[in-house]
């Protein structure tokens, strides 16, 4: 959404680079280059090639899901920004890169329905947290929907997770393994599905 809203501000383009499937941090420069359609050059480090290609371009790179590659992402971002004065980089991560000049935006919690004010399933489905749970639940159980039988449990799960988007996604992803009541029970007992926001 941010990328779409800023398209007119970057003459050389905006590039969305998902990193969730990358496990080898050594391949980060190559991964970024592949999304930018930048070919590797013989006897030329990929980082230098990236810098050469981006040095004078008014571009925005969106690096998505950096938390498992923090050190590699921090090093890459720092190098690119030092050598490419018109380049901007937006990262999404559960943890900060801890770079000088890094600005933070914390994604706010999603709205959770107040139990006593909502009367119908359609009203429950208007709340952001419930919609997100449904979207992710349908990825593991196609056709999953709110019903009179499950709506109270779904609402309790989202409420127990304080409307935190990633926590809701993780909980919804488990409903093909556990019944909704079991997911809620795990949350109530031990917070096993909760997220740590602290880098150890």
């Amino acid at each position: 959404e941010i990328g779409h809203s800023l398209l007119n501000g970057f003459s050389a383009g905006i590039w969305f680079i998902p990193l969730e499937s990358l496990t080898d941090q050594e391949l980060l420069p190559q991964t970024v280059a592949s999304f930018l359609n930048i070919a590797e050059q013989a006897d030329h480090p990929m980082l230098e090639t990236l810098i050469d290609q981006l040095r004078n371009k008014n571009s925005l790179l969106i690096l998505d899901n950096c938390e498992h590659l923090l050190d590699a992402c921090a090093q890459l971002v720092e190098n690119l920004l030092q050598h490419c004065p018109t380049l901007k980089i937006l990262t999404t991560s559960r943890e900060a890169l801890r770079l000088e000049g890094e600005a933070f935006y914390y994604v706010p919690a999603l709205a959770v329905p107040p139990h006593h004010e909502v009367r119908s399933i359609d009203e429950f489905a208007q709340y952001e947290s419930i919609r997100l749970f449904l979207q992710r639940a349908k990825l593991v159980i196609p056709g999953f929907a709110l019903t009179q039988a499950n709506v109270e449990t779904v609402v309790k799960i989202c409420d127990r997770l304080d409307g935190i988007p990633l926590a809701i996604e993780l909980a919804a992803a488990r409903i093909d393994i556990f019944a909704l009541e079991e997911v809620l029970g795990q949350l109530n007992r031990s917070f096993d599905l909760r997220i740590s926001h602290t880098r150890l």
Side-chain angles (χ1 to χ4, degrees):
E1 289 298 326
I2 291 173
H4 282 297
S5 69
L6 296 175
L7 277 174
N8 293 332
F10 292 91
S11 58
I14 295 175
W15 307 88
F16 180 79
I17 304 166
L19 299 176
E20 68 273 5
S21 61
L22 180 62
T23 57
D24 186 350
Q25 63 179 5
E26 299 295 327
L27 296 178
L28 179 60
Q30 287 81 357
T31 300
V32 172
S34 69
F35 280 93
L36 300 176
N37 297 316
I38 296 174
E40 191 164 5
Q41 301 177 19
D43 301 322
H44 199 61
M46 194 68 247
L47 176 59
E48 292 183 16
T49 301
L50 279 173
I51 291 171
D52 290 343
Q53 293 292 320
L54 296 171
R55 191 183 307 275
N56 298 311
K57 290 186 177 178
N58 180 28
S59 297
L60 170 65
L61 305 185
I62 302 175
L63 305 181
D64 189 44
N65 288 313
C66 297
E67 56 272 354
H68 63 300
L69 304 164
L70 283 179
D71 292 336
C73 284
Q75 184 176 7
L76 177 66
V77 168
E78 187 172 39
N79 276 306
L80 289 177
L81 293 179
Q82 283 179 349
H83 297 92
C84 306
T86 57
L87 177 69
K88 303 293 182 186
I89 299 178
L90 170 65
T91 65
T92 72
S93 176
R94 295 199 298 266
E95 301 176 43
L97 298 185
R98 298 178 181 166
L99 294 177
E100 184 177 352
E102 183 176 12
F104 307 105
Y105 176 78
Y106 294 95
V107 177
L110 302 178
V112 177
H115 301 255
H116 61 285
E117 294 180 10
V118 180
R119 299 180 181 180
S120 71
I121 288 178
D122 288 341
E123 286 182 75
F124 279 115
Q126 297 304 309
Y127 284 84
E128 298 168 330
S129 59
I130 305 300
R131 289 203 308 269
L132 178 61
F133 188 95
L134 288 174
Q135 289 170 2
R136 295 301 182 261
K138 288 176 181 177
L139 294 177
V140 294
I141 301 181
F144 180 87
L146 284 183
T147 66
Q148 292 293 345
N150 69 22
V151 64
E152 183 177 353
T153 305
V154 171
V155 171
K156 287 181 178 178
I157 289 172
C158 293
D159 183 59
R160 194 73 182 90
L161 294 169
D162 300 323
I164 299 172
L166 186 56
I168 292 172
E169 290 190 24
L170 293 175
R174 286 167 168 76
I175 68 166
D176 63 333
I177 303 172
F178 303 106
L180 286 171
E181 292 76 11
E182 291 178 298
V183 173
L184 179 60
Q186 289 184 23
L187 292 172
N188 287 335
R189 285 193 303 272
S190 62
F191 296 101
D192 282 343
L193 301 183
R194 295 298 291 268
I195 302 166
S196 170
H197 294 281
T198 304
R199 185 177 180 188
L200 300 177

